Amino acid sequence: MRLENAPLKELRAHDRLLVLLKSGGPATTAVLANRLKITGEAARQQLVRLQEEGLVEATSEVRGRGRPHQIWRLTAAANRRFPDAHAEFTAQLIETIRKTLGEAALDRLIEAREKELLGSYRTALEGAPELQDRLERLVSMRNAEGYMAECRTERDGFLLIQNHCPICAASGVCLKLCGSELNLFSQLFGPQVSIQREENIVNGSHRCVYRIRPRGAPAARAQT
C-alpha cells in the first residue's frame, strides 16, 4: 500500500508514524502518541523499532525546565518510502540534457512541462467558482501525483501545503523546476490572486507551503 495516498487508519502503526512525521515534521513521542490516540509507551516502542530499521532518528532538545525532549524525524531511508518519480534517473537526465543540449534546451523542456500541467489543471478547475473550490480540486490532483497536499483556511486566505515532493531530487539539480511550480500556480489562479511561497523542501524545510489569498485582502501577518 502506498503511504502517501492511504487513509491513516488503514496503515500499520509504524507506517502511521512515518506518515505523521512526513506530514507534520519532527515531533516528540508524546505528540505522536496523542495524534495516533495510543499510549506514550506504545508509540515509543514503535519508534524504537523504526529507529532500529534506520527509518527514524532522535535528537535531544531542551524546552524550558526539566529533562530534554527526544525529537523524532525521518531519515533519508524513510523518505525513500514515499514516491520519488524515479528521482535518480530524472536528476541524471536533467544533467545529461544540460551538458549535451545546453541550458536553453533545458529551459524549453521545463516551459513545455509547465504549459502541459497548466492545461490539465485549468480543465480540472473549470466550473469551480470560488477560490477554495479551485484549491480543493488542485489538492486532489496534486495528491494523485504524490505530493501529499492539503489546503488550510487562514484568516487572510489559504495555505497550500505539499508535505512531499516526488521530484525533489530533480529540483535539487535544477532549481528552475521550483520556480516553474510557483509560476504554474500563479498562472493557474490569475492576477486576482496573490501567491507566495513560504517554505520549500529544497531549501531544507520538511514541506513546501504557499500562501494564497485574493489580492486586496489584508495580510494576517508579515510575509517571509
Side-chain angles (χ1 to χ4, degrees), residues 24-174:
T28 64
T29 304
V31 167
L32 293 168
N34 183 60
R35 290 176 182 171
L36 289 180
K37 302 188 185 306
I38 60 177
T39 66
E41 178 60 22
R44 188 193 68 80
Q45 291 177 3
Q46 292 292 337
L47 287 164
V48 168
R49 175 184 171 188
L50 290 170
Q51 186 178 40
E52 292 172 349
E53 295 175 2
L55 298 176
V56 301
E57 58 189 6
T59 55
S60 295
E61 183 177 310
V62 177
R63 295 183 177 180
R65 302 171 62 182
R67 298 174 58 188
H69 293 269
Q70 271 195 316
I71 308 299
W72 296 93
R73 55 179 43 82
L74 297 182
T75 64
N79 277 307
R80 288 194 290 271
R81 297 280 297 272
F82 295 85
D84 62 3
H86 309 290
E88 184 177 352
F89 172 76
T90 305
Q92 291 174 349
L93 184 60
I94 287 173
E95 286 295 346
T96 300
I97 293 171
R98 177 179 281 136
K99 291 176 181 177
T100 59
L101 301 178
E103 199 71 30
L106 182 58
D107 289 346
R108 289 196 297 272
L109 286 174
I110 293 173
E111 290 171 4
R113 174 182 179 272
E114 181 183 309
K115 183 177 181 180
E116 183 177 343
L117 286 174
L118 181 61
S120 63
Y121 288 176
R122 278 177 170 166
T123 298
L125 269 56
E126 284 179 359
E130 302 296 330
L131 178 57
Q132 183 171 0
D133 296 329
R134 299 200 298 275
L135 278 168
E136 288 174 353
R137 292 191 186 184
L138 176 61
V139 163
S140 179
M141 294 192 71
R142 298 297 275 183
N143 278 332
E145 296 166 5
Y147 284 87
M148 295 181 68
E150 58 183 296
C151 177
R152 295 182 185 174
T153 303
E154 296 276 292
R155 189 178 66 185
D156 62 336
F158 305 91
L159 291 182
L160 171 62
I161 300 171
Q162 299 182 154
N163 293 298
H164 180 64
C165 178
I167 62 167
C168 187
S171 299
V173 298
C174 184

